[in-house]
Amino acid sequence: MRHIISILLENEPGALSRVVGLFAQRGYNIETLTVAPTEDNTLSRLTMTTNGDDRKIEQITKQLNKLIEVVKLVDLSEGAHIERELMLIKVKAVGAQRAEIKRTADIFRGQVVDVSPSVYTIQLTGTTDKLEAFIEAIGPGCVLETVRSGVSGISRGEKILSL
Amino acid sequence: MELLSGGEMLVRALHEAGVEYIYGYPGGSLLHVYDALYRQSAVKHVLVRHEQAAAHMADGYARATGKPGVVMVTSGPGATNTITGIATAFTDSVPMVVISGQVMSFLVGDDAFQETDMLGVSRPIVKHSFAVTRPEDIPELVAKAFHIASTGRPGPVVIDIPKDMTMPNERYEYAYPKKVKLRSYTPPQRGHSGQIKKAVDLLLKAKRPVIYSGGGVILDGSSDKLRQLVDRLNAPCTNTLMGLGAYPGTGERFVGMLGMHGSYEANMTMHHADVILAIGARFDDRVTNATDKFCPDAKIIHIDIDPSSISKTIIADVPIVGPVGNVLDEMTALLDESDETPDSEALDAWWKQINEWRQRHGMRYEKNDNGLMKPQEVIESLWQATRGDAYITSDVGQHQMFAAQYYKFDKPNRWINSGGLGTMGFGFPAAMGVKMNFPDEMVVCVTGEGSIQMNIQELSTCLQYGIPVKILCLNNGSLGMVRQWQDMNYEGRHSSSYMESLPDFVKLVESYGHVGIRVTERSQLPQAMEDTFGKYNNRLVFLDVTVDEHEHVYPMQVPTGSMRDMWLSKTERT
Ligand SMILES: Cc1cc2nc3c(=O)[nH]c(=O)nc-3n(C[C@H](O)[C@H](O)[C@H](O)COP(=O)(O)OP(=O)(O)OC[C@H]3O[C@@H](n4cnc5c(N)ncnc54)[C@H](O)[C@@H]3O)c2cc1C
Ligand SMILES: Cc1ncc(C[n+]2csc(CCOP(=O)(O)OP(=O)(O)O)c2C)c(N)n1
Ligand SMILES: [Mg+2]
């Protein structure tokens, strides 16, 4: 099963390499990874999605927790949560296609953020599924380039991840 | 407040952390630090002949005393030479602090002379590591390193220090922190009471209990508590290779080591148990054999300070995360309160069964008639000569297994070997680390002619510092453990397991100023032992004992089988 693991990490050099190294070293796979500082500049927030059965995920979270720089960790997929990913996508847009692509982008609440005579650059946020559905909808054939931020997530309601 | 240079701060902080000996080797990046060492006497430096040996010496010291061992090496090759030693300590959870020099901070990344990314290279084999970025942080980082290395599940910590952090003419205010606090590191202090209660209930109801204890009991200094619990429950106790000595090897309730080369009775007891109490042991694959066939009838209680050791390979029914001593105290208190007592009728039947198993194999072996000794009898003779009271370190191979099986350790911290990594070359420097700190104790390295050559250069260090360890080489003229596997699985094709061109060890050690004794026949051994621990007590003695090269280590579990599937001799299987 796919899990979203969210980590508060000491904002120190080397901390990220320990997290990534752990995955390589123990044969766990990382599907997406995002990391950036938080409002508290001593902490970074890291979100990663990974796959595995319950036992594997249990080992992953235990091993991550052992890293000294990991301050707090939560498996967001265990409870109600919001997940978002940002995608910038360049698509071939000529002739009649232009209107069609624009309409599809509107349906997915995407925005055209850059235009050239034959190319649209569209910005889209949502779950991974939604981003994939968009690509499907416009037809993979006209996709020129995509860049995705990786998943960020936060739990719903009162629950917060902080010190 | 006192003003000190970075180098001076480092040395002072080490002293305040309780360090008496540092094992190391100097080089360009650390010259300021070595100068600071020279100008004081509280912290003594032991100059090894190879940095790997420095790490093993520190490791031996740590395993014998429970305190972190300290290594100091220069950047580049000095640092990378310690890697095997750090990995050895890491796999066996040994507290260690490694100080590695680094090129000037402004040169880092430029492929400078003797620059290696030590933090990167060592990352997978350390508990934690630090890079010094400001000289004034040094005391705090040292305090943190010792704290992390020695608490929770112990392990090695590296501090990488660029040369410009130690400049002699740049001085800073020195203050060693009284307490270390890390917001992201709080090792468990006690187990969950509800879980402990469940465990006690299970144990009181058990009809065929067994206590399987490991290195964690020794690391926790809780052997006495283990002994009390075993006796109180009247349960059989088995130890892992790392746990030997936590329960007395000559104790009535001890059934021997378990696992790949465990005793017949230990493995049978495990396989047939209905409740297994695992204490500070990590269900290693050299113990469990095939996990899907592991102890089919057993409920498993697992006490470990590291949650990631629990339910990693074998799922625990009652997981208890906490330090051994504290959890055992709580268990004992519950046993005191309880009206129930262990089921004595069931236990009598269980012991009857175990004693029958004991009769079946009982670690018997056959001696040769022609005077050529079996390795087992040499270990038995060592046990007698040292009255079972020596510190025994070992290298890796058949000799290691024979030492584990035939030297009955009655005390913890006396059996010092590389279990998890299986590092040939570990035994001799580890023995040196022990001996320097326990000069009045007998310290013996049991080794093979293969392993000893991996760090034999340390004979020179022993001469320099007067470290009279004893080296007992079970010389079978081959990489015996490899050869055994080749005999059993490759129809005896001895591919590169034969040691040609062995040196004359007696002459070799004599050239280093030590004593060498060659023993080729059984009749010579008693005198050799007597001389080693008698007239040559204050000398390093290398006992080169010729043993039967055809001997195999038994019992040996059958691969992909359950715990009870074993070869008991070359011809007999369970
Ligand atoms: C040639 C060879 C053959 C071998 N054959 C065997 C064999 O037949 N049988 C065998 O047993 N081993 C054998 N080994 C060793 C094996 O590889 C493992 O090293 C060993 O089994 C692990 O021992 P352990 O389970 O006690 O764990 P250790 O490696 O000693 O780990 C200690 C455990 O205790 C925990 N711990 C640490 N401190 C505390 C504390 N304060 N409180 C609670 N828990 C704590 C740790 O988290 C860890 O999980 C062999 C090795 C070699 C090289
Ligand atoms: C550094 C290292 N290299 C290789 C091995 C693999 N290995 C395990 S036991 C062994 C043979 C050891 O020979 P020796 O020291 O003579 O001991 P014996 O088995 O003959 O008693 C080897 C090569 C190892 N454990 N460590
Ligand atoms: Mg040999």
Side-chain angles (χ1 to χ4, degrees):
Chain A
M1 209 189 108
R2 174 171 170 273
H3 287 254
I4 306 175
I5 296 172
S6 199
I7 299 172
L8 279 181
L9 192 67
E10 295 286 359
N11 188 3
E12 277 166 10
L16 179 61
S17 74
R18 260 186 255 272
V19 173
V20 175
L22 178 78
F23 273 70
Q25 176 191 340
R26 294 193 179 264
Y28 310 146
N29 83 60
I30 302 179
E31 272 183 6
T32 71
L33 170 71
T34 72
V35 59
T38 64
E39 73 288 355
D40 172 351
N41 65 7
T42 66
L43 289 172
S44 308
R45 176 78 175 245
L46 185 149
T47 314
M48 60 190 356
T49 55
T50 181
N51 264 303
D53 58 19
D54 289 352
R55 260 185 100 178
K56 182 122 181 200
I57 299 296
E58 184 180 327
Q59 262 301 311
I60 292 179
T61 54
K62 283 173 170 178
Q63 293 293 350
L64 282 168
N65 265 316
K66 268 169 76 172
L67 298 177
I68 308 286
E69 284 124 337
V70 169
V71 186
K72 282 233 166 120
L73 178 154
V74 63
D75 180 351
L76 288 174
S77 13
E78 277 178 354
H81 65 276
I82 299 158
E83 67 169 277
R84 288 291 179 272
E85 194 174 350
L86 171 78
M87 174 166 71
L88 295 171
I89 177 167
K90 264 188 192 179
V91 293
K92 197 155 45 175
V94 282
Q97 262 185 331
R98 286 177 85 85
E100 181 58 28
I101 288 170
K102 176 74 175 63
R103 242 190 326 273
T104 314
D106 287 344
I107 294 170
F108 281 80
R109 295 179 206 281
Q111 291 158 289
V112 178
V113 290
D114 192 36
V115 193
S116 80
S118 61
V119 172
Y120 274 161
T121 303
I122 299 165
Q123 168 189 313
L124 198 71
T125 46
T127 61
T128 306
D129 283 349
K130 175 177 160 186
L131 304 187
E132 274 157 16
F134 177 74
I135 294 176
E136 204 51 45
I138 55 168
C142 59
V143 175
L144 298 170
E145 183 182 351
T146 59
V147 52
R148 289 159 67 156
S149 63
V151 173
S152 292
I154 200 161
S155 34
R156 284 193 183 273
E158 314 272 297
K159 236 170 102 183
I160 52 172
L161 184 65
S162 69
L163 283 186
Chain B
M1 220 184 270
E2 217 176 339
L3 292 181
L4 297 178
S5 72
E8 289 164 342
M9 280 201 276
L10 176 62
V11 175
R12 179 75 68 83
L14 289 172
H15 176 53
E16 289 202 48
V19 176
E20 193 188 350
Y21 288 112
I22 297 178
Y23 309 97
Y25 212 93
S29 67
L30 275 181
L31 288 177
H32 300 321
V33 178
Y34 271 82
D35 192 55
L37 273 171
Y38 188 86
R39 288 182 285 103
Q40 55 87 57
S41 57
V43 179
K44 297 187 259 306
H45 181 267
V46 179
L47 177 69
V48 293
R49 298 299 178 266
H50 187 296
E51 289 91 346
Q52 181 189 347
H56 294 326
M57 279 183 86
D59 184 322
Y61 163 82
R63 292 186 204 227
T65 61
K67 293 188 275 184
V70 182
V71 181
M72 189 179 280
V73 289
T74 192
S75 68
T80 54
N81 267 351
T82 65
I83 293 299
T84 303
I86 297 174
T88 303
F90 180 71
T91 4
D92 288 342
S93 308
V94 178
M96 180 183 284
V97 173
V98 179
I99 291 152
S100 54
Q102 186 52 278
V103 300
M104 302 275 188
S105 57
F106 52 86
L107 292 176
V108 168
D110 287 355
D111 303 320
F113 175 63
Q114 294 195 328
E115 178 189 352
T116 45
D117 174 11
M118 178 57 173
L119 295 185
V121 170
S122 64
R123 197 192 55 232
I125 49 163
V126 295
K127 184 170 174 187
H128 196 55
S129 46
F130 295 102
V132 178
T133 51
R134 302 186 315 166
E136 57 268 43
D137 294 342
I138 288 174
E140 193 192 327
L141 292 181
V142 169
K144 280 184 178 169
F146 277 80
H147 176 65
I148 292 171
S150 58
T151 53
R153 179 178 186 168
V157 176
V158 168
I159 308 178
D160 201 42
I161 309 188
K163 185 168 187 176
D164 51 333
M165 299 296 128
T166 61
M167 302 308 264
N169 44 8
E170 293 169 19
R171 290 165 192 282
Y172 304 86
E173 285 185 358
Y174 171 87
Y176 190 77
K178 289 196 180 60
K179 265 195 85 178
V180 178
K181 235 187 102 49
L182 287 148
R183 63 179 173 184
S184 55
Y185 175 71
T186 39
Q189 301 299 323
R190 50 193 303 277
H192 187 283
S193 299
Q195 293 292 90
I196 296 175
K197 172 90 179 49
K198 266 195 220 162
V200 169
D201 288 346
L202 253 180
L203 285 165
L204 283 169
K205 295 207 170 53
K207 302 211 178 304
R208 299 184 311 280
V210 59
I211 295 181
Y212 146 46
S213 96
V217 176
I218 293 173
L219 291 164
D220 200 67
S222 293
S223 300
D224 288 340
K225 293 176 184 173
L226 170 74
R227 291 163 191 222
Q228 282 157 19
L229 185 73
V230 170
D231 293 347
R232 172 142 193 187
L233 294 172
N234 187 22
C237 180
T238 176
N239 289 161
T240 66
L241 182 71
M242 300 311 294
L244 294 174
Y247 192 80
T250 56
E252 195 193 334
R253 296 192 173 86
F254 188 59
V255 291
M257 181 171 83
L258 81 169
M260 179 176 276
H261 292 299
S263 72
Y264 174 72
E265 53 266 36
N267 288 343
M268 293 299 275
T269 301
M270 283 291 287
H271 186 85
H272 293 92
D274 68 347
V275 175
I276 295 173
L277 172 60
I279 313 178
R282 56 187 176 83
F283 293 88
D284 185 82
D285 52 86
R286 290 239 152 166
V287 164
T288 58
N289 213 358
T291 49
D292 56 335
K293 297 180 189 143
F294 180 74
C295 303
D297 304 329
K299 287 253 178 285
I300 292 166
I301 306 165
H302 192 177
I303 306 170
D304 203 295
I305 203 162
D306 178 355
S308 75
S309 281
I310 298 180
S311 298
K312 180 175 63 180
T313 59
I314 299 288
I315 295 182
D317 298 286
V318 184
I320 303 172
V321 178
V324 171
N326 215 285
V327 174
L328 294 194
D329 281 346
E330 220 171 302
M331 289 179 103
T332 312
L334 286 175
L335 285 168
D336 287 342
E337 282 167 24
S338 173
D339 319 324
E340 281 180 72
T341 49
D343 183 342
S344 59
E345 217 170 292
L347 287 171
D348 285 347
W350 183 222
W351 274 112
K352 191 162 162 280
Q353 171 67 73
I354 293 168
N355 286 327
E356 278 167 26
W357 288 327
R358 275 179 170 158
Q359 295 305 318
R360 163 114 190 245
H361 183 254
M363 305 311 292
R364 273 184 297 276
Y365 62 91
E366 271 171 46
K367 293 187 181 171
N368 295 321
D369 307 330
N370 61 1
L372 174 61
M373 281 184 289
K374 290 286 180 72
Q376 296 93 322
E377 54 184 303
V378 182
I379 301 293
E380 286 176 335
S381 159
L382 174 69
W383 187 80
Q384 276 152 8
T386 55
R387 298 172 301 283
D389 200 29
Y391 283 82
I392 306 289
T393 72
S394 119
D395 270 306
V396 175
Q398 291 184 319
H399 61 273
Q400 175 188 24
M401 292 299 110
F402 289 128
Q405 292 175 330
Y406 291 88
Y407 197 98
K408 308 246 170 278
F409 293 92
D410 281 337
K411 296 180 188 163
N413 306 88
R414 299 259 160 163
W415 165 238
I416 290 172
N417 82 131
S418 167
L421 202 67
T423 307
M424 291 171 70
F426 170 81
F428 176 31
M432 293 161 63
V434 177
K435 183 70 181 177
M436 287 197 80
N437 291 279
F438 296 103
D440 300 330
E441 302 282 345
M442 291 175 279
V443 182
V444 184
C445 165
V446 174
T447 186
E449 79 301 319
S451 295
I452 192 65
Q453 293 187 82
M454 287 214 179
N455 266 318
I456 200 155
Q457 75 286 347
E458 298 307 317
L459 286 167
S460 168
T461 312
C462 288
L463 184 66
Q464 180 171 358
Y465 296 94
I467 313 174
V469 296
K470 313 299 178 193
I471 298 171
L472 174 60
C473 179
L474 300 184
N475 193 336
N476 54 10
S478 67
L479 302 175
M481 184 59 91
V482 172
R483 180 187 163 119
Q484 172 168 350
W485 284 58
Q486 290 169 338
D487 285 340
M488 295 175 77
N489 304 319
Y490 300 90
E491 297 162 330
R493 290 186 296 278
H494 296 156
S495 176
S496 293
S497 59
Y498 176 61
M499 277 296 212
E500 274 176 326
S501 322
L502 284 176
D504 178 334
F505 286 114
V506 171
K507 279 195 192 143
L508 180 74
V509 296
E510 282 172 0
S511 79
Y512 278 103
H514 304 303
V515 179
I517 303 176
R518 179 168 299 115
V519 174
T520 52
E521 287 229 354
R522 183 176 296 125
S523 59
Q524 303 161 334
L525 189 62
Q527 187 63 48
M529 285 284 178
E530 201 183 310
D531 290 349
T532 301
F533 298 102
K535 91 173 156 185
Y536 296 131
N537 187 35
N538 294 324
R539 304 286 299 280
L540 183 152
V541 181
F542 190 113
L543 268 174
D544 183 18
V545 183
T546 308
V547 294
D548 188 343
E549 61 178 331
H550 299 293
E551 189 62 358
H552 285 178
V553 181
Y554 291 110
M556 181 164 181
Q557 282 175 336
V558 178
T560 73
S562 71
M563 285 213 74
R564 71 171 163 184
D565 299 319
M566 289 167 265
W567 285 101
L568 299 177
S569 71
K570 284 185 185 170
T571 49
E572 194 189 1
R573 247 191 85 156
T574 53

